[in-house]
Amino acid sequence: MNTEEQIKVSVIMPVYNRAGVLQKAVRSVMDQTLREIELVCINDGSTDNTVMVLKKLARKDPRIRVLSQRNAGAGPARNYGLKRAKGEFVAFLDSDDWYASEDVLEKLYQKAIANQVKICLGGSRRAKLGKLQPLEFPGKVYFTKEALIEYRDYQFTHGYCRGIYDRKMLIENWVCFPAYQRYQDPPFFVRAMISAKCFYAVTDIVLIYDESCNYQKINWNERKTTDLLKGIRDILSLAEEHSYIRLQRDFVQRIRYGDWSEIFSKNLRGDWTEAKGIMQEANTYFMPEAIRQSGLPEGEKPFDKLLHDAFGRGRHIPKIRATFTDKIIRMTRLPY
């Protein structure tokens, strides 16, 4: 493979201190029936022997490329891999997850080409202590029938590793990962979907997600909690811009009653002024119809209770409206 046109899929894998576990992920890529692929491994400043393991694997298969950067996090590592990738499509795989079968990339690629789409998604399944867990969230995390789906009808934020993405589409639309320590994946996924407008769904389970990397094992601190809030804010802004009421409605429930309650209750503090400002700004992006459908009391915004509990009710919420999306895109642009 001497020209980038010959590479159909570039798999981008950030790696940080994963020497003992990454071989399973690498093998699941290199054993794919689609041979016109490359695996772009980005060593994100590892302090163990990760680089030695990667270089040893690369000597056995020239389709493996090893890049290195100073430790900057998974998002910047993926951006670096995207900048250096050569494939027609790109896929993203974490170093402790793996593809469910050897024909995953071939199926995704063939379906994307046959249906002339920029994104093709399959399903994912969790693994815990080496055992596969039951399938969850039909129509969202996995699909029960093949179909061309408009993102306006999907409005989901998770599972970006389940698919392949047209590389030029990402580059031309400045779709990349924000440099957040947490929650950088959903903003990328939503921006990619907005750029593509639709995707093709296949019923195959394509990704096995290792549950050892769940929220409960993250050492949450001010930076990570603030970055989580930034990622939520980004999506709320995009949802408002494109009138995704269902997406915002889901976030109302998740903020008030769901996914992050324990994180917020343990980590938000009165002296975290940046976190306070982000929540105040995020409140301004909620559409009235999304709030109404969520059943919140009239005049209440989703972050109000958190603001009250962590900081006391502020008298003034600044009107930080117009150009937030443009600013965040400028801040996270790749240097092409």
Side-chain angles (χ1 to χ4, degrees), residues 33 101 103-112 120 202 204:
T33 56
S101 62
D103 59 353
V104 159
L105 294 180
E106 185 170 10
K107 285 185 176 180
L108 291 173
Y109 179 80
Q110 289 178 347
K111 293 294 183 180
C120 187
V202 301
D204 302 75

Side-chain angles (χ1 to χ4, degrees), residues 119 149-152 169 192-199 244:
I119 299 176
I149 300 176
E150 297 283 339
Y151 184 64
R152 181 164 296 280
M169 176 200 72
M193 284 291 183
I194 289 171
S195 297
K197 296 183 174 61
C198 65
F199 65 96
Y244 293 151

Side-chain angles (χ1 to χ4, degrees), residues 78-198:
R78 295 186 190 106
N79 291 339
Y80 183 33
L82 179 58
K83 181 182 177 183
R84 298 290 297 274
K86 300 176 181 179
E88 180 182 358
F89 287 82
V90 294
F92 300 92
L93 184 68
D94 290 339
S95 58
D96 49 1
D97 300 335
W98 61 92
Y99 287 127
S101 62
E102 294 179 356
D103 59 353
V104 159
L105 294 180
E106 185 170 10
K107 285 185 176 180
L108 291 173
Y109 179 80
Q110 289 178 347
K111 293 294 183 180
I113 296 301
N115 292 279
Q116 299 181 333
V117 295
K118 303 297 186 182
I119 299 176
C120 187
L121 285 186
S124 65
R125 195 170 187 179
R126 296 178 299 125
K128 188 174 183 179
L129 300 177
K131 295 183 179 180
L132 293 178
Q133 302 300 296
L135 290 168
E136 298 176 312
F137 308 112
K140 296 293 186 182
V141 175
Y142 72 98
F143 305 99
T144 56
K145 63 179 180 180
E146 285 197 10
L148 182 67
I149 300 176
E150 297 283 339
Y151 184 64
R152 181 164 296 280
D153 298 325
Y154 186 57
Q155 294 191 33
F156 194 60
T157 60
H158 283 67
Y160 79 105
C161 283
R162 296 176 289 139
I164 61 173
Y165 305 81
D166 183 277
R167 180 173 63 88
K168 290 183 179 179
M169 176 200 72
L170 298 180
I171 293 172
E172 290 171 358
N173 290 279
W174 300 105
V175 179
C176 59
F177 294 83
Y180 302 156
Q181 289 191 0
R182 301 305 310 167
Y183 214 71
Q184 69 277 79
D185 307 341
F188 165 86
F189 187 65
V190 174
R191 289 191 182 104
M193 284 291 183
I194 289 171
S195 297
K197 296 183 174 61
C198 65

Side-chain angles (χ1 to χ4, degrees), residues 290-309:
I291 293 177
R292 187 191 67 79
Q293 291 185 14
S294 302
L296 286 185
E298 185 176 355
E300 182 177 338
K301 293 292 185 72
F303 279 107
D304 283 354
K305 185 176 187 301
L306 284 167
L307 284 165
H308 183 276
D309 291 346

